Amino acid sequence: MMTVNNKTYLISISLLLIGIIFCTVSAVISLNSNGNWFARSGSILTFISVVVQFQLASIKKKEAEKIMQSDLDIHEKLKTIKDDNSLHKTVFIVSGLTSLLGTLIWGYGDLLF
């Protein structure tokens, strides 16, 4: 069975962590101001989440292309493509949630301060 190396997800996970850290630092900075930094950090978090979603789609596409070019029969190919990678699924869900959170921060973050 062909699987994607978990190191492939390192960039996506790193980007999400950078976005979350940036929002956290912006929230701390905004404690002494009117909240503009925090609200603007929501747009960065949303953008990073969208970039990660595109990366995940690219990873899945490359994996499917490799499987389709393999010597497996069609039933094994389809079964392999359908098999869920738990890391992929986790990063996908976290990215979706950070996108939602980033949008909420972007729209309403200044109202918290």
Side-chain angles (χ1 to χ4, degrees), residues 7 18 38-39 48 52 54-55 58 74 76 85 88 92 99-100:
K7 288 182 181 178
I18 289 168
F38 183 58
I48 288 173
V52 169
F54 277 108
Q55 286 179 331
S58 176
I74 190 68
E76 284 296 316
N85 179 334
H88 185 93
F92 180 80
S99 179
L100 176 63

Side-chain angles (χ1 to χ4, degrees), residues 7 10 24 28 40 44 57 64-65 81 94 97 107:
K7 288 182 181 178
L10 188 60
T24 304
V28 170
R40 284 178 174 77
I44 301 298
E65 287 173 351
I81 290 172
V94 170
L97 291 174

Side-chain angles (χ1 to χ4, degrees), residues 6 24-27 31 42-43 49 54-55 57 59-60 63 72-76 78 81 90-91 99-100 102 105:
N6 287 344
T24 304
V25 169
S26 296
L31 289 174
S43 65
S49 298
F54 277 108
Q55 286 179 331
I59 290 169
K60 201 65 166 171
E63 180 183 16
L72 298 172
D73 69 344
I74 190 68
H75 298 293
E76 284 296 316
L78 292 175
I81 290 172
T90 302
V91 174
S99 179
L100 176 63
I105 291 170

Side-chain angles (χ1 to χ4, degrees), residues 55-113:
Q55 286 179 331
L56 294 174
S58 176
I59 290 169
K60 201 65 166 171
K61 179 180 177 253
K62 287 176 186 175
E63 180 183 16
E65 287 173 351
K66 283 182 184 178
I67 292 169
M68 294 309 284
Q69 293 173 358
S70 71
D71 293 333
L72 298 172
D73 69 344
I74 190 68
H75 298 293
E76 284 296 316
K77 287 178 181 180
L78 292 175
K79 183 180 177 229
T80 305
I81 290 172
K82 287 182 180 179
D83 285 344
D84 282 338
N85 179 334
S86 62
L87 182 58
H88 185 93
K89 191 173 185 178
T90 302
V91 174
F92 180 80
I93 290 170
V94 170
S95 177
L97 291 174
T98 55
S99 179
L100 176 63
L101 180 63
T103 302
L104 291 172
I105 291 170
W106 190 4
Y108 301 103
D110 60 332
L111 299 179
L112 298 174
F113 296 92

